Amino acid sequence: EVDTRTNRNKKQNTMKILSELTGYEYYKTTSCIDFDGGTYGTGILSKYPIENHSSVALISDGHEQRKLGHAVINIDGTVIDFFNTHLSWESKETRAKQFAGIAKYTAECENDLFIVTGDFNTRDFSEFEPIENSKLVNNELTYMVSCGDDGAIDNVVYSKGFKVKSYGVYDKVVHSDHSMVWAELSFVPAEAPETEE
């Protein structure tokens, strides 16, 4: 969740600053709403080239507008679809529509390699079920991700083309009201074709 040129962040481009501080050259912002003289939304930061970026408005039922950011990222020749979002907290029914929207886009990924990250604003892991052929990093543990809250509302969703090497929470909160959930994923090698003898 990032501000872009709002008054409260002193008119700065947050993603540009993060790019410069980390050395991750590639970044994109999905602006969800106009806010405080700028925009508020989500951001994707990558050390690998972002070949394409788009955003789609999710059904929000009159609540704060939510969107799905979608980056097509080239990792040394392997292309993955990387999504991030921030879903509604007000209503499970609204989130169901938003999860359905996410599922529509992950189902259209051509190479079956996708990752979806974000603040999903739910502790109910069954709400993720519409996203087919996927698993959750945080599907058993409840992390202290939101200040004053022990709910596992932030997550990393990954497709069957990945496996989890390690994951956890970075709990040194500085400029956020959430602790950072992180995961290190690797590609699952494609099965070698059977050979005839």
Side-chain angles (χ1 to χ4, degrees):
E1 301 167 39
V2 294
D3 282 10
T4 303
R5 304 194 188 286
T6 62
N7 291 318
R8 72 177 177 183
N9 85 343
K10 300 179 182 178
K11 295 295 184 182
Q12 299 178 99
N13 184 334
T14 303
M15 293 306 298
K16 182 175 186 293
I17 293 169
L18 290 173
S19 173
E20 291 169 352
L21 289 172
T22 60
Y24 282 22
E25 180 179 353
Y26 308 97
Y27 62 92
K28 294 294 180 179
T29 302
T30 297
S31 296
C32 296
I33 61 171
D34 293 333
F35 177 76
D36 196 23
T39 61
Y40 168 77
T42 61
I44 296 173
L45 182 65
S46 176
K47 69 176 180 178
Y48 298 101
I50 296 176
E51 295 188 340
N52 188 35
H53 179 264
S54 59
S55 65
V56 59
L58 298 173
I59 294 172
S60 299
D61 289 336
H63 304 300
E64 180 181 311
Q65 180 61 60
R66 308 297 184 168
K67 292 186 180 179
L68 180 68
H70 177 200
V72 178
I73 300 176
N74 189 324
I75 302 176
D76 298 329
T78 300
V79 176
I80 72 164
D81 291 278
F82 189 96
F83 301 88
N84 76 343
T85 193
H86 180 196
L87 300 188
S88 296
W89 59 268
E90 296 93 343
S91 162
K92 182 174 182 177
E93 290 72 26
T94 298
R95 281 197 306 277
K97 298 173 187 177
Q98 293 169 346
F99 274 111
I102 294 169
K104 174 183 181 292
Y105 286 95
T106 56
E108 294 173 355
C109 295
E110 293 183 8
N111 56 6
D112 291 328
L113 290 173
F114 65 81
I115 297 170
V116 188
T117 66
D119 177 353
F120 296 95
N121 268 316
T122 182
R123 304 166 181 81
D124 182 355
F125 299 131
S126 69
E127 291 189 45
F128 291 83
E129 289 175 1
I131 307 175
E132 296 182 349
N133 300 313
S134 68
K135 296 180 180 179
L136 304 176
V137 165
N138 190 11
N139 64 348
E140 294 178 358
L141 303 177
T142 300
Y143 289 126
M144 182 77 74
V145 295
S146 182
C147 292
D149 185 2
D150 62 354
I153 60 175
D154 299 345
N155 225 313
V156 178
V157 183
Y158 60 99
S159 67
K160 61 185 179 182
F162 293 98
K163 64 179 179 180
V164 178
K165 296 178 69 175
S166 58
Y167 62 98
V169 167
Y170 184 77
D171 59 6
K172 292 180 172 58
V173 178
V174 180
H175 297 291
S176 177
D177 60 350
H178 285 232
S179 298
M180 183 182 73
V181 177
W182 60 269
E184 183 181 5
L185 307 178
S186 62
F187 296 123
V188 175
E191 292 185 14
E194 294 184 9
T195 57
E196 295 183 7
E197 294 185 1

